Amino acid sequence: MKHRLTAVAAAATFIVAGATGAFAQSYKIGLSNGWIGSEWRTQMIEEAEAAAAAWKERGVDVEVVVQSANVDVPGQIAHVRNFMNQGVDAIIINPNSPTAFDPVFRQAAAQGILVISTDAEVSSSDAIYVGIDQTDWAAKSAQWLADTLGGEGKVVAINGVAGHPANQMRVEGYTSVFDNYDGIEVLNEVNANWDQAQGQQAMQNLLATYPDIDGVWVQDGMAAGAWRAIMDADKTADIAATGEIRKDFLDIWAENDLTSGASVNPPGVMASALNVAVFMLEGRELKEPADAGQYGNALYLPIPFIDGSNFEEVHEAVEGKPGYYSYTSALSIDDAEALFN
Amino acid sequence: MTDQTASNSLSVAGQRLIARFPFVPAAIILVVLLALNGWFEPRSLSFGALRGLVSTYLALMLLAMAQSYVVFASDLDLSVGAIVSLVNVVMVTVMQSLGGDPLMVLFACVVGIAVGVACGLFNGFVVAALRLQAIVATFATSIFFTGIALYVLPVAGAPVPEAFWLTYASSYFGIPFVFYVLALVLVILTLLARSGLVIRILTVGDDAMGAFHSGLPVTAIRIKGYALCGLFAALAAMCLTGDTASGDPLVGGQMTLNSVAAVVLGGTALSGGKGSVLGAVIGALIIGLINSLVFFVGTPSEWQNLVQGLAILGALMIGVLVSRRAQK
């Protein structure tokens, strides 16, 4: 009896396998994340794992192995070397440094491993970047602020960590937009290290120093704090400020009818990178080579934007999610395929 | 009866061994971790992988050495990571402005060492001469050094001349360059362990008042400890620059606490007065091997940080227990 069942099961497996092509291809992809200080990173990895699982329907078996922990730069170089020891086909990394991985990526590439960085660009010519353009991310929300203010007003900016490349690109992004408007005066630019409490404090100080602020350009990770200071000062109706993409902030936005707009840096970027990676492993060629950005190796993804016009829709999309959940978007397998020949 | 005698004499032997070589428990943990890594991922013990391990962690080994000389005097240096960043960007900037000529690269290394020693002397002055609390004072100087690093090189970038990092990645007579460096490091630390300076540093750490009464220049010795720390932090920065081939003003920041952890894992007490630099070097490797092992055993990503922390705690406890038993 038992044997017969096994035989039936085996036959069934055979049929199913025949129908789906029996995982004609299987790939092992290493995901490395070097900082776990925010839920955004956790969501980034979860979405990438889900994207890998989705390839099963296409008959491609994508196994992901993950290294995610707070590490220093050598610690993340060790991530890459561990992946090399395991013999992965591709590595997708959210890097702790833009430049420090050049030699180890060269060693990985020499082993025939595909290397893709996401969320932060890397200088290595042996890797490509799949993610958003941080300059454009900042320009979009700066444009929204300029439009909302009618091209005229006093503006302050609250930035992240000095010396961080993404921060640098974002500063360039909003500066290039505000420079186009004679009527927009940037009163002050401060750093609050991508920390909500420091963002709130910075905003309090700015409000005390400049009582007639019209607009605030503040980066994500600090915008909720800045808005708290604005609301505490009873200036909600007088000030337009950029916002966040987290569910808990979107709730505050809805409740208080804020004048806000947010560029989306979606945690789905790693999932997008994974889908691109699988097509590259399949040997497909990109229609447009990844040659954008300052390092000439970037493939930029579209950046969604949240403002009054689509707020309801976005807020509904995160309905029922926990407060730390970020509004997201990612290239589906079909979206990714459209990028290839 | 005989069993007991045998175990007694064994424990007496162990006691002597650990008293003479405080790094023995750490060395045992290192061997166990290597074996476990090899068990879960056989390729992690291949020649290439071991070379990668040394390339990656040479900087942390040197930084742990640096930290040891300060801890020996029962001080602490929370600015070592910032010194690494500063030396890294200074060297890279000098190399960029002078070109990739080997002589110029050598000159950049000399400048880097001078910067490291200067930082160490500054720390020593603040802590030992001005008598500020070591933890807070070096925390403050770490922010100061990072500020200078950001001034020298505002954003990460600046590739290093190939002459520099290709040397770090090359082999001579079939042996990787990093293995020569490791051997040299071991020779230096053995020689230093017997030097008068290190013995005086240990004496100060053991009993600063007693050392002072017996006529030792305590302040000068503590400053020299910090200078030695700055020197080895600069050497760590060179290795890091060799492995990363670039300048990054924030690159070393997170290495500071790892260097302290490595020192303690190696069997050195933060209270000062005794310890082993070799132990600190082994401690750096233990941290690296634990990180790899957590991955190779297949820990789910959301648990990796937690398991890593527990494993380091575990290694620490085993070390302490073994030492204590041996001291009974």
Coordinates of all heavy atoms in Angstrom, one line a residue, chain A residues 33-117:
Chain A
N33 N 22.6 43.1 3.8 CA 22.1 44.4 4.3 C 23.0 44.7 5.5 O 23.1 43.9 6.4 CB 20.6 44.3 4.7 CG 20.2 45.5 5.5 OD1 20.5 46.6 5.2 ND2 19.5 45.2 6.6
G34 N 23.6 45.9 5.5 CA 24.6 46.1 6.6 C 24.1 47.0 7.7 O 24.9 47.4 8.6
W35 N 22.8 47.3 7.8 CA 22.3 48.2 8.8 C 20.9 47.8 9.1 O 20.1 47.7 8.1 CB 22.4 49.7 8.4 CG 22.0 50.6 9.4 CD1 22.7 50.9 10.6 CD2 20.9 51.5 9.4 NE1 22.0 51.9 11.3 CE2 20.9 52.3 10.6 CE3 19.8 51.7 8.5 CZ2 19.9 53.2 10.9 CZ3 18.8 52.6 8.8 CH2 18.9 53.3 10.0
I36 N 20.5 47.6 10.3 CA 19.2 47.2 10.6 C 18.5 48.2 11.5 O 17.6 47.8 12.3 CB 19.1 45.8 11.2 CG1 20.0 45.7 12.5 CG2 19.6 44.7 10.2 CD1 19.7 44.5 13.3
G37 N 18.8 49.4 11.4 CA 18.3 50.5 12.3 C 16.9 50.9 12.0 O 16.3 51.6 12.8
S38 N 16.3 50.5 10.9 CA 14.9 50.9 10.6 C 14.1 49.7 10.0 O 14.6 48.8 9.4 CB 14.9 52.1 9.7 OG 15.0 51.7 8.4
E39 N 12.8 49.8 10.2 CA 11.9 48.8 9.7 C 11.9 48.8 8.2 O 11.5 47.8 7.6 CB 10.4 49.0 10.2 CG 10.3 48.8 11.7 CD 10.4 50.1 12.5 OE1 10.9 51.1 11.9 OE2 10.1 50.1 13.7
W40 N 12.3 49.9 7.6 CA 12.3 50.0 6.1 C 13.2 48.9 5.6 O 12.9 48.3 4.6 CB 12.9 51.4 5.8 CG 12.8 51.8 4.3 CD1 11.8 52.5 3.7 CD2 13.8 51.5 3.3 NE1 12.1 52.7 2.4 CE2 13.3 52.1 2.1 CE3 14.9 50.8 3.3 CZ2 14.0 52.0 0.9 CZ3 15.6 50.7 2.1 CH2 15.1 51.3 0.9
R41 N 14.4 48.7 6.3 CA 15.3 47.6 5.8 C 14.7 46.2 5.9 O 14.9 45.4 5.0 CB 16.6 47.7 6.6 CG 17.4 49.0 6.4 CD 18.1 49.1 5.1 NE 18.9 50.3 5.0 CZ 20.2 50.3 4.8 NH1 20.9 49.1 4.7 NH2 20.9 51.4 4.7
T42 N 14.0 46.0 7.0 CA 13.4 44.7 7.2 C 12.4 44.5 6.1 O 12.3 43.4 5.5 CB 12.6 44.7 8.6 OG1 13.4 45.3 9.5 CG2 12.3 43.2 9.0
Q43 N 11.6 45.5 5.8 CA 10.6 45.4 4.8 C 11.2 45.1 3.4 O 10.8 44.4 2.6 CB 9.7 46.6 4.7 CG 8.4 46.5 3.9 CD 7.6 47.8 3.9 OE1 7.6 48.5 4.9 NE2 6.8 48.0 2.9
M44 N 12.4 45.8 3.2 CA 13.1 45.6 1.9 C 13.5 44.2 1.7 O 13.3 43.6 0.6 CB 14.4 46.5 2.0 CG 15.4 46.3 0.9 SD 16.9 47.2 1.2 CE 17.8 46.0 2.3
I45 N 14.0 43.5 2.8 CA 14.4 42.1 2.6 C 13.2 41.2 2.5 O 13.2 40.3 1.6 CB 15.2 41.7 3.9 CG1 16.6 42.4 3.8 CG2 15.4 40.2 3.9 CD1 17.4 42.3 5.0
E46 N 12.1 41.5 3.2 CA 10.9 40.6 3.1 C 10.3 40.7 1.7 O 9.9 39.7 1.1 CB 9.8 41.1 4.1 CG 10.2 40.6 5.5 CD 9.3 41.2 6.6 OE1 8.5 42.1 6.3 OE2 9.4 40.8 7.8
E47 N 10.3 41.9 1.1 CA 9.8 42.1 -0.2 C 10.7 41.3 -1.2 O 10.2 40.8 -2.2 CB 9.6 43.5 -0.6 CG 8.5 44.2 0.2 CD 8.2 45.6 -0.4 OE1 8.3 45.8 -1.6 OE2 7.8 46.5 0.4
A48 N 12.0 41.4 -1.0 CA 12.9 40.7 -2.0 C 12.7 39.2 -1.9 O 12.7 38.5 -2.9 CB 14.3 41.1 -1.7
E49 N 12.5 38.7 -0.6 CA 12.2 37.2 -0.5 C 11.0 36.8 -1.2 O 10.9 35.8 -1.8 CB 12.2 36.9 1.0 CG 13.6 36.9 1.7 CD 13.6 36.7 3.2 OE1 12.6 37.2 3.8 OE2 14.6 36.1 3.7
A50 N 9.9 37.7 -1.0 CA 8.6 37.4 -1.7 C 8.8 37.4 -3.2 O 8.2 36.5 -3.9 CB 7.6 38.4 -1.2
A51 N 9.6 38.3 -3.7 CA 9.8 38.4 -5.1 C 10.5 37.2 -5.7 O 10.2 36.7 -6.7 CB 10.7 39.7 -5.5
A52 N 11.5 36.6 -4.8 CA 12.2 35.4 -5.3 C 11.2 34.3 -5.3 O 11.2 33.5 -6.3 CB 13.3 35.1 -4.3
A53 N 10.3 34.2 -4.3 CA 9.3 33.1 -4.3 C 8.4 33.1 -5.5 O 7.9 32.1 -6.1 CB 8.5 33.1 -3.0
A54 N 8.1 34.4 -6.0 CA 7.2 34.5 -7.1 C 7.7 33.9 -8.4 O 6.9 33.7 -9.3 CB 6.8 36.0 -7.3
W55 N 9.0 33.7 -8.5 CA 9.6 33.2 -9.7 C 9.2 31.7 -9.9 O 9.3 31.2 -11.0 CB 11.1 33.3 -9.7 CG 11.5 34.7 -10.2 CD1 11.7 35.8 -9.4 CD2 11.8 35.1 -11.5 NE1 12.1 36.8 -10.2 CE2 12.1 36.4 -11.5 CE3 11.7 34.4 -12.8 CZ2 12.4 37.1 -12.7 CZ3 12.0 35.1 -13.9 CH2 12.4 36.5 -13.9
K56 N 8.7 31.0 -8.8 CA 8.3 29.6 -8.9 C 7.3 29.4 -10.0 O 7.3 28.5 -10.8 CB 7.8 29.1 -7.6 CG 8.9 29.0 -6.6 CD 8.7 27.7 -5.8 CE 10.0 27.2 -5.1 NZ 10.6 28.3 -4.3
E57 N 6.3 30.4 -10.1 CA 5.2 30.3 -11.1 C 5.8 30.3 -12.5 O 5.1 29.8 -13.4 CB 4.3 31.5 -10.9 CG 3.4 31.4 -9.7 CD 2.7 32.7 -9.4 OE1 2.5 33.5 -10.4 OE2 2.2 32.9 -8.3
R58 N 6.9 30.9 -12.7 CA 7.5 30.9 -14.0 C 8.5 29.7 -14.2 O 9.2 29.7 -15.2 CB 8.4 32.2 -14.2 CG 7.5 33.4 -14.3 CD 8.2 34.3 -15.3 NE 7.3 35.3 -15.7 CZ 7.6 36.1 -16.8 NH1 8.7 35.9 -17.5 NH2 6.8 37.0 -17.2
G59 N 8.5 28.8 -13.2 CA 9.4 27.6 -13.4 C 10.8 27.9 -13.1 O 11.7 27.2 -13.5
V60 N 11.1 29.0 -12.5 CA 12.5 29.3 -12.1 C 12.6 29.3 -10.6 O 11.8 29.9 -9.9 CB 12.9 30.7 -12.6 CG1 14.3 31.0 -12.2 CG2 12.7 30.8 -14.1
D61 N 13.6 28.5 -10.2 CA 13.7 28.3 -8.7 C 14.8 29.3 -8.2 O 16.0 29.2 -8.6 CB 14.2 26.9 -8.4 CG 14.3 26.7 -6.9 OD1 13.6 27.3 -6.1 OD2 15.2 25.9 -6.5
V62 N 14.4 30.4 -7.5 CA 15.3 31.3 -7.0 C 15.5 31.2 -5.5 O 14.5 31.4 -4.8 CB 14.9 32.8 -7.3 CG1 15.9 33.8 -6.8 CG2 14.6 33.0 -8.8
E63 N 16.6 30.7 -5.1 CA 16.9 30.6 -3.7 C 17.6 31.8 -3.2 O 18.6 32.2 -3.8 CB 17.8 29.3 -3.4 CG 18.0 29.0 -2.0 CD 19.2 28.1 -1.7 OE1 19.7 27.5 -2.7 OE2 19.6 28.0 -0.6
V64 N 17.1 32.4 -2.1 CA 17.8 33.6 -1.6 C 18.5 33.2 -0.2 O 17.9 32.5 0.6 CB 17.0 34.8 -1.4 CG1 16.6 35.4 -2.7 CG2 15.7 34.5 -0.5
V65 N 19.7 33.7 -0.1 CA 20.4 33.5 1.2 C 20.6 35.0 1.7 O 21.0 35.8 0.9 CB 21.7 32.7 1.2 CG1 21.4 31.3 1.1 CG2 22.5 33.1 0.0
V66 N 20.4 35.2 3.0 CA 20.4 36.6 3.5 C 21.4 36.8 4.6 O 21.5 35.9 5.5 CB 19.0 37.0 4.0 CG1 18.9 38.4 4.4 CG2 17.9 36.7 3.0
Q67 N 22.1 37.9 4.5 CA 23.0 38.3 5.6 C 22.5 39.7 6.0 O 22.7 40.6 5.2 CB 24.4 38.3 5.3 CG 25.0 36.9 5.1 CD 26.5 36.9 4.9 OE1 27.3 36.8 5.8 NE2 26.8 37.0 3.6
S68 N 22.0 39.9 7.2 CA 21.5 41.2 7.6 C 21.8 41.4 9.0 O 21.3 40.7 9.9 CB 19.9 41.2 7.3 OG 19.4 42.4 7.8
A69 N 22.7 42.3 9.3 CA 23.0 42.6 10.7 C 23.8 44.0 10.7 O 24.2 44.4 9.6 CB 24.0 41.6 11.2
N70 N 23.8 44.6 11.8 CA 24.6 45.8 11.9 C 26.1 45.5 11.8 O 26.6 44.8 12.7 CB 24.4 46.5 13.2 CG 23.1 47.4 13.2 OD1 22.7 47.9 12.1 ND2 22.4 47.5 14.3
V71 N 26.7 45.9 10.7 CA 28.2 45.5 10.6 C 28.9 46.8 10.2 O 28.4 47.7 9.6 CB 28.4 44.4 9.5 CG1 28.1 43.1 10.1 CG2 27.7 44.7 8.3
D72 N 30.2 46.8 10.5 CA 31.1 47.9 9.9 C 31.4 47.5 8.5 O 31.0 46.4 8.0 CB 32.3 48.0 10.8 CG 33.0 46.7 11.1 OD1 32.8 45.8 10.3 OD2 33.7 46.7 12.1
V73 N 32.2 48.3 7.8 CA 32.5 48.1 6.4 C 33.2 46.8 6.2 O 32.8 46.0 5.4 CB 33.3 49.3 5.8 CG1 33.8 49.0 4.4 CG2 32.3 50.5 5.7
P74 N 34.3 46.5 7.0 CA 34.9 45.2 6.8 C 33.9 44.0 7.1 O 34.0 43.0 6.4 CB 36.0 45.1 7.9 CG 36.3 46.6 8.2 CD 35.0 47.3 8.0
G75 N 33.0 44.2 8.0 CA 32.0 43.2 8.3 C 31.1 42.9 7.0 O 30.7 41.8 6.8
Q76 N 30.8 44.0 6.3 CA 30.0 43.8 5.1 C 30.8 43.2 3.9 O 30.3 42.5 3.1 CB 29.2 45.0 4.7 CG 28.0 44.7 3.8 CD 27.2 45.9 3.5 OE1 27.6 47.1 3.7 NE2 25.9 45.7 3.1
I77 N 32.1 43.6 3.9 CA 33.0 42.9 2.9 C 33.0 41.4 3.2 O 33.0 40.6 2.3 CB 34.4 43.5 3.0 CG1 34.4 45.0 2.5 CG2 35.4 42.7 2.2 CD1 35.7 45.7 2.6
A78 N 33.0 41.1 4.5 CA 32.9 39.6 4.9 C 31.6 39.0 4.4 O 31.6 37.8 3.9 CB 33.0 39.5 6.4
H79 N 30.5 39.8 4.4 CA 29.3 39.2 3.8 C 29.5 38.8 2.4 O 29.2 37.7 2.0 CB 28.2 40.3 3.7 CG 27.5 40.6 5.0 ND1 26.5 41.5 5.1 CD2 27.6 40.1 6.3 CE1 26.0 41.6 6.4 NE2 26.7 40.7 7.1
V80 N 30.2 39.7 1.6 CA 30.4 39.4 0.2 C 31.3 38.1 0.1 O 31.0 37.2 -0.8 CB 31.0 40.6 -0.5 CG1 31.4 40.2 -2.0 CG2 30.1 41.8 -0.5
R81 N 32.3 38.1 0.9 CA 33.2 36.9 0.8 C 32.5 35.6 1.2 O 32.8 34.6 0.7 CB 34.5 37.2 1.7 CG 35.3 38.3 1.1 CD 36.8 38.2 1.5 NE 37.6 39.0 0.6 CZ 38.3 40.1 0.9 NH1 38.2 40.6 2.2 NH2 39.0 40.8 0.0
N82 N 31.6 35.7 2.2 CA 30.9 34.5 2.6 C 30.0 34.0 1.4 O 29.9 32.8 1.2 CB 30.0 34.8 3.8 CG 30.7 35.0 5.1 OD1 31.9 34.5 5.2 ND2 30.1 35.6 6.1
F83 N 29.4 35.0 0.7 CA 28.6 34.6 -0.4 C 29.5 33.9 -1.5 O 29.1 33.0 -2.1 CB 27.9 35.8 -1.0 CG 26.7 36.3 -0.3 CD1 26.5 37.7 -0.1 CD2 25.8 35.4 0.3 CE1 25.4 38.1 0.6 CE2 24.7 35.9 1.1 CZ 24.5 37.3 1.2
M84 N 30.7 34.5 -1.7 CA 31.6 33.9 -2.7 C 31.9 32.5 -2.3 O 32.0 31.6 -3.1 CB 32.8 34.8 -2.8 CG 32.6 36.1 -3.5 SD 33.9 37.3 -3.2 CE 35.3 36.5 -4.0
N85 N 32.1 32.3 -1.0 CA 32.5 30.9 -0.5 C 31.3 29.9 -0.7 O 31.5 28.8 -1.0 CB 32.8 30.9 1.0 CG 34.1 31.6 1.3 OD1 35.0 31.7 0.4 ND2 34.3 32.1 2.5
Q86 N 30.1 30.5 -0.6 CA 28.9 29.6 -0.8 C 28.6 29.3 -2.3 O 27.8 28.5 -2.6 CB 27.7 30.3 -0.2 CG 27.5 29.9 1.3 CD 26.1 29.9 1.7 OE1 25.3 30.6 1.1 NE2 25.8 29.2 2.8
G87 N 29.3 30.1 -3.2 CA 29.0 29.9 -4.6 C 27.7 30.4 -5.0 O 26.9 29.6 -5.7
V88 N 27.3 31.6 -4.7 CA 26.1 32.2 -5.2 C 26.2 32.6 -6.7 O 27.3 32.7 -7.2 CB 25.6 33.4 -4.4 CG1 25.3 33.0 -2.9 CG2 26.6 34.5 -4.4
D89 N 25.1 32.8 -7.4 CA 25.1 33.2 -8.7 C 25.1 34.8 -8.8 O 25.6 35.4 -9.7 CB 23.9 32.7 -9.5 CG 23.9 31.2 -9.5 OD1 24.8 30.6 -10.1 OD2 23.0 30.6 -9.0
A90 N 24.4 35.4 -7.8 CA 24.4 36.8 -7.8 C 24.3 37.3 -6.4 O 23.9 36.6 -5.5 CB 23.1 37.3 -8.6
I91 N 24.8 38.6 -6.2 CA 24.8 39.2 -4.9 C 24.1 40.6 -5.1 O 24.4 41.3 -6.0 CB 26.2 39.5 -4.4 CG1 27.0 38.2 -4.1 CG2 26.2 40.4 -3.1 CD1 28.4 38.4 -3.8
I92 N 23.1 40.8 -4.2 CA 22.4 42.1 -4.2 C 22.7 42.7 -2.8 O 22.5 42.1 -1.8 CB 20.9 41.9 -4.4 CG1 20.6 41.2 -5.8 CG2 20.2 43.3 -4.4 CD1 19.2 40.9 -6.0
I93 N 23.2 43.9 -2.8 CA 23.7 44.5 -1.6 C 23.2 45.9 -1.4 O 23.1 46.7 -2.4 CB 25.3 44.5 -1.7 CG1 25.9 45.0 -0.3 CG2 25.8 45.3 -2.8 CD1 27.4 44.7 -0.3
N94 N 22.8 46.2 -0.2 CA 22.5 47.6 0.2 C 23.8 48.0 1.0 O 24.0 47.7 2.1 CB 21.3 47.7 1.1 CG 20.9 49.1 1.3 OD1 21.7 50.0 1.3 ND2 19.6 49.3 1.7
P95 N 24.7 48.7 0.3 CA 26.1 48.9 0.8 C 26.3 49.9 1.9 O 25.6 51.0 1.8 CB 26.9 49.3 -0.5 CG 25.9 50.0 -1.3 CD 24.5 49.4 -1.0
N96 N 27.2 49.7 2.8 CA 27.5 50.7 3.8 C 28.5 51.7 3.4 O 28.7 52.7 4.1 CB 28.1 50.0 5.1 CG 27.0 49.3 5.9 OD1 25.9 49.4 5.6 ND2 27.4 48.7 7.0
S97 N 29.1 51.6 2.2 CA 30.0 52.6 1.7 C 29.9 52.6 0.2 O 29.7 51.5 -0.4 CB 31.4 52.2 2.1 OG 32.3 53.0 1.3
P98 N 30.0 53.7 -0.4 CA 29.8 53.8 -1.9 C 31.1 53.3 -2.6 O 31.0 52.8 -3.7 CB 29.6 55.3 -2.2 CG 30.2 56.0 -1.0 CD 30.1 55.1 0.2
T99 N 32.2 53.4 -2.0 CA 33.5 53.1 -2.7 C 34.3 51.9 -2.2 O 35.1 51.4 -2.9 CB 34.4 54.3 -2.5 OG1 34.5 54.6 -1.1 CG2 33.8 55.5 -3.3
A100 N 34.0 51.5 -0.9 CA 34.9 50.5 -0.3 C 34.8 49.1 -0.8 O 35.6 48.3 -0.5 CB 34.6 50.5 1.2
F101 N 33.8 48.9 -1.7 CA 33.7 47.5 -2.2 C 34.3 47.2 -3.5 O 34.2 46.1 -4.1 CB 32.2 47.2 -2.2 CG 31.5 47.2 -0.9 CD1 30.8 48.3 -0.4 CD2 31.6 46.1 0.0 CE1 30.3 48.4 0.8 CE2 31.0 46.1 1.2 CZ 30.3 47.3 1.7
D102 N 35.0 48.2 -4.1 CA 35.6 48.1 -5.4 C 36.4 46.8 -5.5 O 36.2 46.0 -6.4 CB 36.4 49.3 -5.8 CG 35.5 50.5 -6.1 OD1 34.3 50.5 -5.8 OD2 36.0 51.5 -6.7
P103 N 37.4 46.6 -4.7 CA 38.2 45.4 -4.8 C 37.5 44.1 -4.7 O 37.6 43.1 -5.4 CB 39.3 45.5 -3.8 CG 39.3 47.0 -3.4 CD 37.9 47.4 -3.6
V104 N 36.6 44.0 -3.6 CA 35.9 42.7 -3.4 C 34.9 42.4 -4.5 O 34.7 41.3 -4.9 CB 35.3 42.7 -2.0 CG1 34.0 43.4 -1.9 CG2 35.1 41.2 -1.5
F105 N 34.3 43.5 -5.0 CA 33.3 43.2 -6.1 C 34.1 42.7 -7.4 O 33.6 41.9 -8.1 CB 32.6 44.5 -6.5 CG 31.5 44.9 -5.5 CD1 30.8 46.1 -5.6 CD2 31.1 44.0 -4.5 CE1 29.8 46.4 -4.8 CE2 30.1 44.3 -3.7 CZ 29.4 45.5 -3.8
R106 N 35.3 43.2 -7.5 CA 36.1 42.7 -8.7 C 36.4 41.3 -8.5 O 36.3 40.5 -9.4 CB 37.4 43.5 -8.8 CG 38.3 43.0 -9.9 CD 39.2 44.0 -10.5 NE 38.4 45.1 -11.0 CZ 39.0 46.3 -11.5 NH1 40.3 46.4 -11.5 NH2 38.2 47.2 -12.0
Q107 N 36.7 40.9 -7.2 CA 37.0 39.4 -7.0 C 35.8 38.6 -7.2 O 35.8 37.5 -7.8 CB 37.5 39.3 -5.6 CG 38.9 39.8 -5.3 CD 39.2 40.1 -3.9 OE1 38.5 39.5 -3.0 NE2 40.2 40.9 -3.6
A108 N 34.6 39.1 -6.8 CA 33.3 38.4 -7.1 C 33.1 38.3 -8.5 O 32.7 37.2 -9.0 CB 32.2 39.1 -6.3
A109 N 33.2 39.4 -9.3 CA 33.0 39.4 -10.7 C 33.9 38.4 -11.4 O 33.5 37.7 -12.4 CB 33.1 40.8 -11.3
A110 N 35.2 38.3 -10.9 CA 36.1 37.3 -11.5 C 35.7 35.9 -11.3 O 36.0 35.0 -12.1 CB 37.5 37.5 -10.8
Q111 N 34.8 35.7 -10.3 CA 34.3 34.3 -10.1 C 33.0 34.1 -10.9 O 32.3 33.1 -10.7 CB 33.9 34.1 -8.6 CG 35.1 33.7 -7.7 CD 34.6 33.2 -6.4 OE1 33.5 32.8 -6.2 NE2 35.5 33.3 -5.4
G112 N 32.6 35.1 -11.7 CA 31.4 35.0 -12.5 C 30.2 35.4 -11.7 O 29.1 35.0 -12.1
I113 N 30.3 36.1 -10.6 CA 29.1 36.4 -9.8 C 28.6 37.8 -10.3 O 29.4 38.7 -10.4 CB 29.5 36.4 -8.3 CG1 29.9 35.0 -7.9 CG2 28.3 36.9 -7.5 CD1 30.4 35.0 -6.4
L114 N 27.3 37.9 -10.5 CA 26.7 39.2 -10.8 C 26.5 40.0 -9.5 O 25.9 39.5 -8.6 CB 25.3 38.9 -11.5 CG 24.4 40.1 -11.7 CD1 24.9 41.0 -12.8 CD2 23.0 39.6 -12.1
V115 N 26.9 41.2 -9.5 CA 26.8 42.1 -8.3 C 25.9 43.3 -8.6 O 26.1 44.0 -9.6 CB 28.2 42.6 -7.8 CG1 28.0 43.4 -6.6 CG2 29.1 41.4 -7.6
I116 N 24.8 43.4 -7.8 CA 23.9 44.6 -8.0 C 23.8 45.3 -6.7 O 23.6 44.7 -5.6 CB 22.5 44.1 -8.5 CG1 22.6 43.5 -9.8 CG2 21.6 45.3 -8.5 CD1 21.3 43.0 -10.4
S117 N 24.0 46.6 -6.7 CA 23.8 47.3 -5.4 C 22.4 48.0 -5.6 O 21.9 48.3 -6.7 CB 24.8 48.4 -5.2 OG 24.5 49.6 -5.9

